[in-house]
Amino acid sequence: MELSRRHFLTVSAALGLASQLKAAEETKPKTLVLMAGTISHGPGDHEFNAGVRLLAKCLEATKSLKVEVLLSGYPKDDSVLDVADGILCFADGGAGHPLIRDARLERIGKLMKKGTGLMCAHFGVEVPKDIGAKEFRDWIGGCYEHEFSCNPMWSPEFKTFPEHAISNGVKPFSVKDEWYFNMRFREYTKGITPILTAVPSDKVREGPYVYPKGPYNHIQAAKGQTETMMWALDRTDGGRGVGFTGGHFHKNWKDDNFRKVVLNALLWICKMDVPKDGVASTVTDDDMAANLDPKKK
Ligand SMILES: [Zn+2]
């Protein structure tokens, strides 16, 4: 009798502790790491450093969120990634992609397995077909594939949005950007939700694309088809992934809806609640002009 009573007390104490731990886990501040790539392109284009600092500023008022900014490429000491709930990689991709170089696929893969969120933006959604593409499909659902995907400059009309936390408060918008489309998604598309979709005109499909100029027959043949420029993935390991193909022009961060959909996604990959009306933020002209990369000599 005494033993079973003690047992009961022990079990209830343990349950109490478990619920306390769960509550503590839920209120524990989340850590978001914003990783900017190295300097590239001309002024106003691929402004990764200025972009992530602007996003960090916009998230300053978000409660229970700690934002760590990594500037100018993959850091020498990457230990902050171990405590990250979510990571944004806004950087040049392809063979020099910061998440695939120097055996980092394994490092990042381990983080993904424990449920760390990942969002890749603009060139950061592109990796070589034979290095990292499989991993990217696992981590964020799809990636840009050279000569399969294309990269025209155009102004998609984003008119409707799915029922999804990332859509919260986002109103129809259109901005000109190098919106890549026709990503190489995983064949098993369960868990992928297209967030920003639009139908490119036949003229957009004809090119020229930024590089290579194209046009590609398979892109032209798909005329009339809806394309996905941003998507969200619920991974089977419990983690969350997002791909966002815009972000070429720094000036686009001035657009409230463009900014909001990205800020919402950054909370979402950290498994945070996205406010009903989305993340509120304002940016001034001074904010827009701040932290731009120095001009190349
Ligand atoms: Zn670009």
Side-chain angles (χ1 to χ4, degrees):
M1 188 68 178
E2 183 53 28
L3 187 70
S4 63
R5 185 166 176 273
R6 196 181 304 148
H7 176 73
F8 172 76
L9 288 173
T10 310
V11 169
S12 59
L15 284 173
L17 187 65
S19 66
Q20 274 173 30
L21 282 174
K22 192 164 179 281
E25 182 61 32
E26 278 163 9
T27 53
K28 199 179 110 191
K30 302 273 188 169
T31 300
L32 170 68
V33 174
L34 304 178
M35 186 189 294
T38 49
I39 296 175
S40 90
H41 289 61
D45 301 342
H46 291 213
E47 292 281 357
F48 306 127
N49 288 317
V52 300
R53 290 169 85 172
L54 188 75
L55 292 170
K57 190 164 191 287
C58 292
L59 290 169
E60 268 171 6
T62 302
K63 290 196 181 86
S64 300
L65 178 69
K66 191 173 170 213
V67 179
E68 300 276 358
V69 169
L70 303 175
L71 299 176
S72 301
Y74 197 91
K76 281 201 181 80
D77 174 5
D78 68 357
S79 54
V80 70
L81 301 183
D82 292 318
V83 297
D85 294 283
I87 301 165
L88 167 72
C89 181
F90 184 34
D92 280 350
H97 198 298
L99 301 187
I100 70 168
R101 288 183 56 196
D102 305 332
R104 288 180 200 136
L105 279 175
E106 197 185 337
R107 163 87 170 115
I108 305 298
K110 282 184 182 155
L111 296 173
M112 297 299 109
K113 275 216 172 69
K114 70 174 185 129
T116 307
L118 177 65
M119 174 168 174
C120 294
H122 200 46
F123 201 171
V125 302
E126 180 175 351
V127 286
K129 202 172 168 178
D130 53 348
I131 313 169
K134 186 198 161 295
E135 286 83 352
F136 267 55
R137 281 191 281 277
D138 288 343
W139 301 346
I140 62 168
C143 56
Y144 187 103
E145 184 179 300
H146 181 57
E147 295 184 332
F148 174 74
S149 311
C150 65
N151 52 2
M153 291 286 180
W154 63 301
S155 308
E157 302 270 346
F158 299 122
K159 294 177 190 159
T160 57
F161 309 96
E163 278 289 320
H164 195 285
I166 297 178
S167 311
N168 286 3
V170 180
K171 303 278 188 309
F173 72 102
S174 180
V175 291
K176 186 179 179 186
D177 202 311
E178 186 188 5
W179 291 104
Y180 310 154
F181 65 88
N182 203 43
M183 298 297 107
R184 182 72 83 177
F185 286 106
R186 47 158 94 173
E187 280 174 29
Y188 179 66
T189 55
K190 192 165 176 276
I192 297 180
T193 308
I195 304 287
L196 293 182
T197 60
V199 182
S201 67
D202 297 351
K203 201 166 175 321
V204 167
R205 291 183 180 277
E206 279 163 22
Y209 316 142
V210 171
Y211 181 81
K213 288 198 181 320
Y216 305 147
N217 291 338
H218 64 282
I219 296 293
Q220 290 177 292
K223 66 182 181 186
Q225 186 175 289
T226 300
E227 302 290 352
T228 299
M229 277 58 72
M230 181 188 201
W231 65 94
L233 168 72
D234 283 286
R235 301 198 304 256
T236 49
D237 54 24
R240 293 172 170 183
V242 170
F244 177 81
T245 75
H248 179 89
F249 298 117
H250 186 68
K251 64 177 186 212
N252 284 344
W253 295 117
K254 191 85 180 22
D255 185 279
D256 289 342
N257 290 296
F258 181 94
R259 204 168 64 246
K260 188 183 288 272
V261 79
V262 169
L263 293 168
N264 288 352
L266 293 173
L267 298 197
W268 186 78
I269 59 164
C270 293
K271 299 180 191 165
M272 294 180 73
D273 289 336
V274 178
K276 188 169 65 59
D277 298 323
V279 178
S281 68
T282 48
V283 296
T284 63
D285 289 343
D286 286 346
D287 293 333
M288 291 302 299
N291 309 310
L292 298 176
D293 289 334
K295 281 185 189 154
K296 277 185 192 160
K297 291 199 177 114

